[in-house]
Amino acid sequence: MKLQHRVHGGELLTSNQALIIQAAQFARNAHERQKRKYSGLPYIVHPARVAGRVAVHPLADEEMVAAAFLHDVVEDTPYTLKEIEAEFGQRVAQLVNELTKPDAISHEVRSGRKGRELKQLADASQRAKIIKLLDRIDNLQDMRDAPREFVEQYCQESRNLADAIGDADLERKQELLACIERFPDRA
């Protein structure tokens, strides 16, 4: 049985619902002035779409949905992993950490950086891998206006990602590969 937590808009929420709403609000505030690179949409649209997809995944729980909302906060805003942990607890922070790119090494080429990311993700939990697959699917769906060279590179990196972590969710792996194939002239 879920414990009732607080009132939101006149409704009583469970602690699980409250965690998700808190993460959504935190992410919205953290990404407030950011826009998506190729679509120009407010950045929060991306983590919200990913969190929505995670929420309906059969293995999802409230921590996964919260981490999906927060997955780009540490990389793209001034917030730290310690602040995420203080606000959302160790389990959500661990998922966010697994999804956060390793720190870039000065003058490191993209292929080296992406190799380190793949290694980190290959060692991640199944929960983090599922979020990452859904994140990548959403990113690909948002790249219609990206430069051809970048899309080619990103599609290849996405194939590598599917190979490295697709075992966590074979259905999402196939969906990711299908998204890549939608760029036949680019991939």
Side-chain angles (χ1 to χ4, degrees):
M1 179 176 195
K2 308 286 188 223
L3 296 176
Q4 295 177 340
H5 186 61
R6 62 180 180 165
V7 175
H8 177 76
E11 296 180 30
L12 214 45
L13 300 178
T14 66
S15 58
N16 296 352
Q17 292 167 326
L19 177 71
I20 293 168
I21 290 169
Q22 181 185 1
Q25 291 170 337
F26 190 95
R28 183 192 66 218
N29 292 337
H31 294 295
E32 186 174 25
R33 299 184 191 277
Q34 297 174 332
K35 301 277 187 200
R36 292 290 283 168
K37 188 173 186 175
Y38 298 112
S39 69
L41 291 171
Y43 196 89
I44 190 59
V45 170
H46 167 66
R49 288 188 304 224
V50 174
R53 295 282 314 270
V54 169
V56 298
H57 192 280
L59 299 179
D61 61 21
E62 69 279 0
E63 293 164 346
M64 285 178 68
V65 178
F69 270 114
L70 301 167
H71 77 271
D72 283 334
V73 168
V74 175
E75 284 176 23
D76 297 340
T77 77
Y79 289 99
T80 67
L81 199 56
K82 284 184 180 183
E83 291 170 301
I84 297 295
E85 184 172 356
E87 194 74 25
F88 299 99
Q90 190 274 329
R91 291 171 52 100
V92 171
Q94 178 59 37
L95 283 169
V96 172
N97 186 46
E98 290 178 284
L99 295 162
T100 299
K101 295 173 186 168
D103 290 335
I105 298 170
S106 193
H107 306 305
E108 183 178 30
V109 295
R110 183 178 175 98
S111 61
R113 189 174 70 249
K114 292 298 175 181
R116 287 190 311 110
E117 286 175 34
L118 275 182
K119 169 74 172 109
Q120 175 180 314
L121 287 165
D123 294 337
S125 66
Q126 180 183 23
R127 298 163 78 213
K129 289 176 181 179
I130 291 167
I131 297 167
K132 185 59 181 180
L133 287 166
L134 291 167
D135 171 44
R136 185 57 67 109
I137 289 165
D138 189 73
N139 282 338
L140 280 165
Q141 292 171 340
D142 211 19
M143 297 186 85
R144 286 177 223 102
D145 297 325
R148 176 187 173 117
E149 300 77 29
F150 180 75
V151 171
E152 288 173 359
Q153 183 177 36
Y154 198 79
C155 284
Q156 183 56 53
E157 292 166 357
S158 297
R159 282 188 197 92
N160 296 343
L161 180 71
D163 289 341
I165 69 170
D167 63 321
D169 184 334
L170 296 177
E171 200 173 317
R172 296 299 78 72
K173 177 182 179 177
Q174 292 307 314
E175 184 180 354
L176 176 55
L177 293 171
C179 283
I180 294 166
E181 295 309 312
R182 292 191 188 119
F183 292 103
D185 60 320
R186 296 179 176 199

